[in-house]
Amino acid sequence: MRFDVLTLFPEMFEGFFSSSIMKRAMDQRLVEASLVNFRDYSTDKHRMVDDTPYGGGGGMVLKPEPLFRAVEALTEETQVRPPVLMMSPQGTPFTQKKAEALSRHSRLILLCGHYEGFDERIRRHLVDEEISIGDYVLTGGELAAMVVMDSIIRLVPGVLGNAGSAEEDSFSTGLLEYPQYTRPADFRGWKVPDVLLSGHHAQIARWRRQQSLERTLERRPDLLEHAPLTDEERAWLKQRKSDS
Ligand code: SAH
């Protein structure tokens, strides 16, 4: 999996690339990431990448040329152009499903905006998809690109030590994850549920599934509409809803 990140602030990625799971994945060559400062592709004598908006108004808009040239330089020798993703508050809201779909590509190009954002022609003629990480406005796309990369790399086979650990995560099953406990079995009088200590795998699986359902119903009932549920689970949910 390779990421090419186009940014005016490559230094923002230093901590992310040199820590924890991202670092390990890069050391093991499971993930590769390159940072491109698209200011290097400005043809302007002052290396300008932005300019005032036509029609007036405040702020600065990213010019098309440096970004087009940077993407073209990256893809010059590739036969199939990898998807170009623009970080944008106007994009499709990012979800676990989207992370899963993107993790199937071997390469992605991420564009990080700044200031007032991008000239519309970048959106229209360079970008395949716009991604928003939530309904709020950031000063730049760098944090969004890190969020997107982080959620994708943990799905790349081999990146998480225990292959099972991404599968049961919240959202992967369409539900929120069940509560987790670790040692000690009794912490200040708060005990771990007996079933988890029982060693009875089928009972543990049933308890976890039940907890996942309860938790999702309580916190994110919207997720239940699309979650793959058994008939029995649907009946239980209906019952729970009519009880309350
Ligand atoms: N004027 C623009 C916002 C610009 S914010 C508008 O109203 O649409 C500057 C840059 O930060 C954007 O170009 C984008 O790359 C990034 N950004 C801001 N909020 C974001 C979000 N919620 N998700 C992803 N990227 C975001």
Side-chain angles (χ1 to χ4, degrees):
M1 181 91 210
R2 168 167 171 183
F3 299 97
D4 297 286
V5 185
L6 277 65
T7 169
L8 295 173
F9 301 93
E11 65 280 4
M12 283 184 74
F13 293 83
E14 279 165 21
F16 177 48
F17 286 175
S18 61
S19 322
S20 185
I21 294 184
M22 185 61 179
K23 175 175 177 1
R24 206 176 59 201
M26 287 173 72
D27 287 348
Q28 294 176 344
R29 306 204 146 270
L30 296 167
V31 172
E32 208 182 320
S34 82
L35 295 168
V36 176
N37 188 335
F38 56 88
R39 193 178 292 284
D40 297 340
Y41 290 89
S42 169
T43 45
D44 192 281
K45 66 172 187 283
H46 302 295
R47 301 221 309 152
M48 291 270 283
V49 287
D50 55 350
D51 208 334
T52 53
Y54 276 121
M60 297 296 270
V61 176
L62 292 170
K63 291 152 73 73
E65 175 140 67
L67 278 157
F68 271 81
R69 290 185 66 228
V71 170
E72 282 154 9
L74 279 170
T75 53
E76 214 165 37
E77 278 155 25
T78 53
Q79 280 179 343
V80 194
R81 202 181 79 161
V84 177
L85 311 177
M86 171 188 270
M87 302 302 115
S88 160
Q90 302 184 25
T92 316
F94 193 59
T95 58
Q96 185 65 22
K97 247 201 182 74
K98 179 48 77 181
E100 282 162 16
L102 291 175
S103 75
R104 288 180 211 118
H105 291 277
S106 56
R107 190 177 173 194
L108 296 169
I109 298 179
L110 278 61
L111 310 187
C112 305
H114 237 88
Y115 318 116
E116 277 307 305
F118 301 90
D119 181 287
E120 186 65 17
R121 288 160 294 185
I122 301 172
R123 246 180 239 290
R124 290 210 176 180
H125 305 295
L126 183 65
V127 165
D128 296 297
E129 205 169 331
E130 292 177 49
I131 292 180
S132 164
I133 63 160
D135 288 345
Y136 39 79
V137 180
L138 304 165
T139 59
E142 286 74 15
L143 289 167
M146 286 186 251
V147 167
V148 169
M149 282 191 279
D150 192 281
S151 63
I152 293 173
I153 59 144
R154 59 198 298 293
L155 300 172
V156 171
V159 167
L160 292 188
N162 171 3
S165 48
E167 279 157 29
E168 299 253 307
D169 280 334
S170 296
F171 309 112
S172 299
T173 56
L175 301 173
L176 300 181
E177 197 184 57
Y178 46 80
Q180 297 272 26
Y181 292 88
T182 186
R183 268 167 281 277
D186 183 337
F187 174 67
R188 301 187 177 173
W190 297 304
K191 298 206 173 69
V192 172
D194 286 337
V195 59
L196 296 178
L197 310 176
S198 69
H200 195 299
H201 296 298
Q203 271 173 24
I204 292 171
R206 205 170 321 122
W207 181 85
R208 286 182 162 167
R209 183 73 187 172
Q210 188 67 23
Q211 291 287 319
S212 261
L213 282 166
E214 297 261 9
R215 194 155 265 216
T216 311
L217 180 63
E218 194 180 302
R219 301 184 184 195
R220 292 292 305 277
D222 57 300
L223 295 176
L224 291 168
E225 278 164 42
H226 303 288
L229 301 178
T230 64
D231 292 345
E232 197 187 332
E233 287 167 346
R234 287 202 185 284
W236 172 84
L237 263 178
K238 222 168 147 193
Q239 185 62 42
R240 275 294 303 264
K241 281 186 191 151
S242 64
D243 290 350
S244 57

